[in-house]
Amino acid sequence: MTIAAMPLADRADRPPLIPAPVAAALTGVLISAMMSGLNSRASSLALADIRGVLGIGIDQGSWIATLYSAGELLVMPFAGWFAVTFSVRRFYLWVLWIAAGIAMVTPLIQNTQLLLVLRFVQGISAGALIPLLMMMALRFLPPPIRLHGLALYALTATFTPNIAIWVVGQWSDGVGDLRWVAWQFLPVAVLCSALVGWGLPREPVNWARFRDMNWLALVTGAPGLALIAIGIAQGNRLDWLNSPLVCFCLLAGALCILVFLVSEWTHPAPFIRFQLLERRNLYVGFTAFVVILIALYSGASLPLDHLAATQGYRAMQAAPLGLLIGLPQLLLGFVVAGLLYNRRVDARLLFAAGMALIGASCMAAAHLDDTWTWREFVPVQLMQAVGQPLAIIPMLFLTTSVVAPSEGPFIAGLVNTLRAFGTLAGVALVGRLEVVREHLHMTVLSDRLGLVINHLPSQADVAGAGAVISAQATALTNADVYRVLGVLALAVVPAGLLFQHIPAPGSEPAAPHNTDKPS
């Protein structure tokens, strides 16, 4: 029975709270999933300082983030299967302490090649923590509180990436010790392993599942996803199809993924049951999810990039940008979840309102110039703070409501694969837009300077004019990026009406899982 199919009488008969051990385990998985996202985001934000400590250049340093992202994407479709096979408790503790062990030693490593290998392994282990959160929320949370579990999952996309700016600022400019960018994972690992170790029972390994395992999907899907991630992450730096490495990664990755998809579709025991995408809410919701993740780059990331380029901001100075979005999520997510329990509230309209707010914030930010500080971004960030939970939580509700709890591992893998892919695609798209538009604006502004330079007094500061042109080009470029992201967000607003209507949990029976009728 889905969350929308539980009648009110049944809800009243069931206790609203889950057993203490399960609650402890869910808390541990939530905290570690958020710390996994924080670890990824913080390392990217502190990358320039890390490169300085290691004495490596931009090109070599870019692989630190790339290989972590590749490992993270690689593991997403398979984590749920291995968790069920080895038991959630055993699998969770393994991957948690692999990630923590690597976090403990990476600040001490000076060999760049070894560091890159460890970052790739850490991406795999830490990335496996995130799908477990959604899988356990769908499996263990009773209908009266399941939407609040989805609100907790949404924090990994709305709270963690934004709060990371303040965290990095504390370690780099406050404490002044970059090692804590990695070591912050360790106390969390101790707490979470205690919670999950106590909360989940010891279960034997189900070795029989390996007989039915889709080995072809594993040996093609894992390297295929890693190659796609490398190709996308390195595309802007290596000029996309002009790079043999990028061409190889994208082509070989696409071929591997094609074999993976065919194998999964035909195998009786797949890692991801792609037939679920025949349900309208899933294919509409997941398409919208990828666009949302791309549009979310307009949150703290794009303002941070703008202020770093025009005002010289470091993470500590830009921290208010992230806090303005991140901190309200601790309340707004649960407010939105509460609204979805009201039978008079249509989740589709909440989703459309959230996307409209994100789009409107982008259009408002498109009026920026090179004099903006973080204060000018306050109205924009507040619109993002409200829009993000309004878009993401109803989308998760509309998609997971057509999924049975037993299908949770399949959906968790698919959702988190799209989550990792959408984040990579957003960074690549914005990076490409910045390269193309900044080149255009620099050319136009430089040509105009060339037309008037002969008419300037001999004592004119031509070098200073060049700095002004660079700042103006950056502002114009970021304004263009905001417009593109705003158009993407607004284009998804009508998608809210494409969802099959799902009534509030407990109000009336939901439509069957395979229905595709218009509401």
Side-chain angles (χ1 to χ4, degrees), residues 17-28:
L17 299 178
I18 57 178
V22 176
L26 279 170
T27 301

Side-chain angles (χ1 to χ4, degrees), residues 192-505:
C192 294
S193 61
L195 290 171
V196 175
W198 174 72
L200 293 182
R202 297 176 182 270
E203 297 175 326
V205 178
N206 189 355
W207 296 108
R209 283 173 59 86
F210 282 97
R211 290 197 299 267
D212 300 322
M213 182 179 181
N214 189 355
W215 289 97
L216 179 60
L218 179 63
V219 299
T220 56
L225 289 169
L227 288 170
I228 291 290
I230 292 171
I232 293 175
Q234 291 290 318
N236 284 313
R237 186 180 71 86
L238 299 176
D239 198 17
W240 290 98
L241 300 183
N242 292 318
S243 164
L245 174 62
V246 173
C247 289
F248 169 78
C249 287
L250 294 179
L251 180 59
L255 291 175
C256 288
I257 294 301
L258 179 62
V259 176
F260 167 75
L261 293 174
V262 173
S263 178
E264 286 287 88
W265 187 272
T266 58
H267 199 275
F271 294 103
I272 295 179
R273 189 170 293 160
F274 287 102
Q275 288 84 349
L276 295 174
L277 292 177
E278 295 175 349
R279 300 172 191 173
R280 191 198 332 167
N281 277 19
L282 291 180
Y283 66 74
V284 171
F286 290 162
T287 302
F289 189 36
V290 174
V291 178
I292 291 171
L293 291 167
I294 295 174
L296 288 189
Y297 196 91
S298 62
S301 298
L302 192 53
L304 175 59
D305 293 346
H306 176 78
L307 293 175
T310 60
Q311 306 289 342
Y313 273 35
R314 286 179 56 82
M316 182 68 83
Q317 296 165 299
L321 296 173
L323 296 177
L324 283 169
I325 297 178
L327 291 180
Q329 304 311 311
L330 298 175
L331 173 64
L332 291 178
F334 300 102
V335 171
V336 174
L339 288 174
L340 292 172
Y341 280 110
N342 189 323
R343 69 184 66 191
R344 292 185 294 273
V345 174
D346 191 332
R348 300 174 299 176
L349 298 181
L350 286 184
F351 168 82
M355 294 307 301
L357 270 175
I358 294 173
S361 73
C362 292
M363 293 306 181
H367 295 90
L368 58 78
D369 57 43
D370 61 331
T371 65
W372 276 35
T373 65
W374 70 266
R375 292 177 177 83
E376 280 71 34
F377 280 101
V378 168
V380 173
Q381 299 300 91
L382 292 177
M383 293 171 70
Q384 287 271 349
V386 178
Q388 290 184 16
L390 277 177
I392 294 176
I393 297 173
M395 184 276 299
L396 292 173
F397 165 64
L398 290 165
T399 52
T400 58
S401 292
V402 298
V403 175
S406 61
E407 297 169 327
F410 301 114
I411 290 301
L414 186 54
V415 167
N416 287 284
T417 300
L418 292 173
R419 179 178 179 271
F421 174 79
T423 302
L424 276 172
V427 173
L429 173 63
V430 170
R432 185 60 182 169
L433 284 172
E434 288 175 339
V435 169
V436 172
R437 298 303 295 176
E438 187 167 19
H439 177 73
L440 172 65
H441 291 307
M442 282 293 293
T443 300
V444 172
L445 293 174
S446 297
D447 287 347
R448 291 181 180 177
L449 176 62
L451 292 174
V452 301
I453 196 169
N454 292 330
H455 303 285
L456 295 175
S458 58
Q459 67 273 21
D461 184 4
V462 177
V468 172
I469 286 176
S470 178
Q472 288 291 324
T474 298
L476 292 169
T477 297
N478 289 329
D480 291 341
V481 174
Y482 266 121
R483 291 188 187 96
V484 171
L485 296 180
V487 169
L488 276 176
L490 294 174
V492 178
V493 170
L497 300 179
L498 298 178
F499 283 105
Q500 172 193 343
H501 174 62
I502 302 294

Side-chain angles (χ1 to χ4, degrees), residues 38-50 160-178 180-182 184 304 314-317 319:
L38 181 63
N39 180 53
S40 174
R41 175 77 169 133
S43 299
S44 297
L45 290 171
L47 186 57
D49 291 332
I50 293 172
T160 306
N162 292 297
I163 206 73
I165 302 175
W166 177 81
V167 172
V168 171
Q170 293 298 318
W171 299 137
S172 61
D173 300 332
V175 177
D177 191 341
L178 279 175
W180 283 101
V181 172
Q184 64 188 350
L304 175 59
R314 286 179 56 82
M316 182 68 83
Q317 296 165 299

Side-chain angles (χ1 to χ4, degrees), residues 150-162:
L150 295 179
L152 290 173
Y153 172 80
L155 290 177
T156 63
T158 57
F159 173 77
T160 306
N162 292 297

